[in-house]
Amino acid sequence: MGSQPVKPYTAYRWARENYTRQGRMLDIWRFVLTWLFYLWLDQQAWSYGGQPTPERKAKRRRARAIWIRETLLNLGPTFIKVGQFFSTRADLFPPEYVEELSKLQDRVPAFSYEQVAAIVQQELGRPITQIYSYFDPTPLAAASLGQVHRAKLKTGEEVVVKVQRPGLTRLFTIDLEICRGIAEFFQYRTSWGGPGRDWIGIYEECRRTLWEEVDYLNEGRNADTFRRNFRDMPQIAVPKVYWRYTSPRLLTLEYLPGIKISDYEALSAAGLDRKVLARLGAEAYLRQLLKDGFFHADPHPG
């Protein structure tokens, strides 16, 4: 089943400046309660209009998965990030859910160049044209928390600039407060709670991780550590951080173009041996885990 094109950034309620805390709470709780209703309904044999065969159940799961993916996209960055996390958990969710949620990795709406320029000036104290000799107004990619633009510094270096979504910290503050209430609801008022499930503990872990992710200075420090750890392995290229052009909401990195590890045709066209790449990837991860004790915990094919 195909997916509809992503709506423009301004079409989403969470992107509007006048979006209230009350409106946010209503939207989030509507999603939670509707999902609980669907979970109950899908357990009722009569809801299938006949015998609930494996084929009918699979079709129903697909429909639910599409609804969840579209709803998370409509709820915005916090919930897109949660959906992306769940898309890696094939051990917890049916394949239909994993497949649909994985589409959130590359189907996030981009915000405007005018907003990008405003954030750059707020963070670095100068207009974007005084910092970069070239800045591509079209992002290379848009993710849940920010988007990436190709640029060139006045000193000539080719870079990529990661810019955080406008209003993200305000949205996180509101969302995480509401999510705390949802975690307490599941913990104390549903059959999924009790001593066997620590929903509040899961919430606290997600809250801490999300706040770390929106601090681009922390991300830059991690990138520097990673780069130092692999300085004696020329086969592993880690982009340099340009600290003069980096802030909590802005990260400027060396531009290192590459090929997706899952793009077999492009790898073959470039004359790269996939077996060698697989071995190098395994060696790099074993080094991170067993030697450095510092590892990349969110790998993507790109």
Side-chain angles (χ1 to χ4, degrees), residues 26-70:
L26 181 63
D27 284 348
I28 293 171
W29 272 105
R30 182 188 294 119
F31 163 64
V32 172
L33 295 176
T34 303
W35 192 10
L36 289 175
F37 171 73
Y38 283 157
L39 289 174
W40 171 82
L41 186 66
D42 293 346
Q43 299 299 315
Q44 313 306 312
W46 55 263
S47 71
Y48 291 88
Q51 186 67 23
T53 62
E55 292 76 16
R56 285 177 173 174
K57 288 185 175 181
K59 185 178 180 180
R60 178 75 64 84
R61 285 196 301 271
R62 172 68 63 187
R64 297 291 186 245
I66 292 172
W67 174 79
I68 290 171
R69 188 248 304 158
E70 291 176 347

Side-chain angles (χ1 to χ4, degrees), residues 10-22:
T10 53
Y12 292 92
R13 284 161 57 84
W14 51 266
R16 302 173 190 173
E17 292 185 4
N18 62 349
Y19 193 25
T20 65
R21 183 182 298 265
Q22 292 75 17

Side-chain angles (χ1 to χ4, degrees), residues 146-204:
Q147 62 192 41
V148 177
H149 293 258
R150 190 173 175 183
K152 188 174 184 178
L153 295 172
K154 291 286 188 179
T155 48
E157 293 95 334
E158 297 278 350
V159 297
V160 291
V161 184
K162 184 176 180 180
V163 186
Q164 192 175 107
R165 289 188 175 276
L168 187 67
T169 55
R170 176 180 178 271
L171 199 63
F172 261 29
T173 301
I174 295 171
D175 286 355
L176 291 172
E177 180 182 314
I178 296 169
C179 286
R180 171 77 190 197
I182 293 171
E184 291 176 348
F185 173 78
F186 275 92
Q187 186 70 50
Y188 302 121
R189 298 181 180 273
T190 72
S191 58
W192 297 302
R197 289 279 177 86
D198 186 8
W199 289 103
I200 295 175
I202 293 171
Y203 158 79
E204 290 293 347

Side-chain angles (χ1 to χ4, degrees), residues 228-285:
R228 284 194 301 272
N229 289 346
F230 282 96
R231 60 183 177 273
D232 61 341
M233 287 188 68
Q235 310 96 318
I236 305 292
V238 181
K240 172 186 174 182
V241 179
Y242 288 88
W243 285 105
R244 185 179 176 185
Y245 310 102
T246 294
S247 73
R249 293 199 297 160
L250 201 71
L251 180 62
T252 300
L253 297 166
E254 176 186 6
Y255 176 57
L256 289 179
I259 300 170
K260 267 193 175 186
I261 199 71
S262 56
D263 190 345
Y264 298 156
E265 290 184 5
L267 293 175
S268 298
L272 297 171
D273 188 328
R274 283 156 49 190
K275 289 184 178 179
V276 172
L277 291 177
R279 188 180 305 112
L280 182 61
E283 288 175 359
Y285 254 92

Side-chain angles (χ1 to χ4, degrees), residues 73-141:
L73 191 59
N74 284 324
L75 285 175
T78 314
F79 293 89
I80 292 170
K81 195 68 184 175
V82 170
Q84 289 174 348
F85 170 71
F86 287 158
S87 75
T88 67
R89 299 302 303 268
D91 56 323
L92 295 179
F93 296 96
E96 295 88 356
Y97 282 53
V98 171
E99 182 181 341
E100 285 299 322
L101 292 177
S102 66
K103 296 175 183 178
L104 291 171
Q105 299 287 0
D106 56 4
R107 289 185 53 77
V108 185
F111 50 97
S112 71
Y113 173 72
E114 289 73 22
Q115 290 171 299
V116 169
I119 291 171
V120 170
Q121 181 156 353
Q122 288 168 12
E123 294 298 297
L124 301 182
R126 286 182 290 161
I128 199 168
T129 53
Q130 291 184 14
I131 301 168
Y132 306 98
S133 60
Y134 168 76
F135 195 102
D136 191 343
T138 303
L140 286 171

Side-chain angles (χ1 to χ4, degrees), residues 205-219:
E205 180 69 15
C206 289
R207 181 188 62 81
R208 182 185 61 80
T209 303
L210 284 171
W211 278 120
E212 285 180 354
E213 277 205 56
V214 298
D215 180 3
Y216 286 179
L217 292 176
N218 182 62
E219 183 174 341

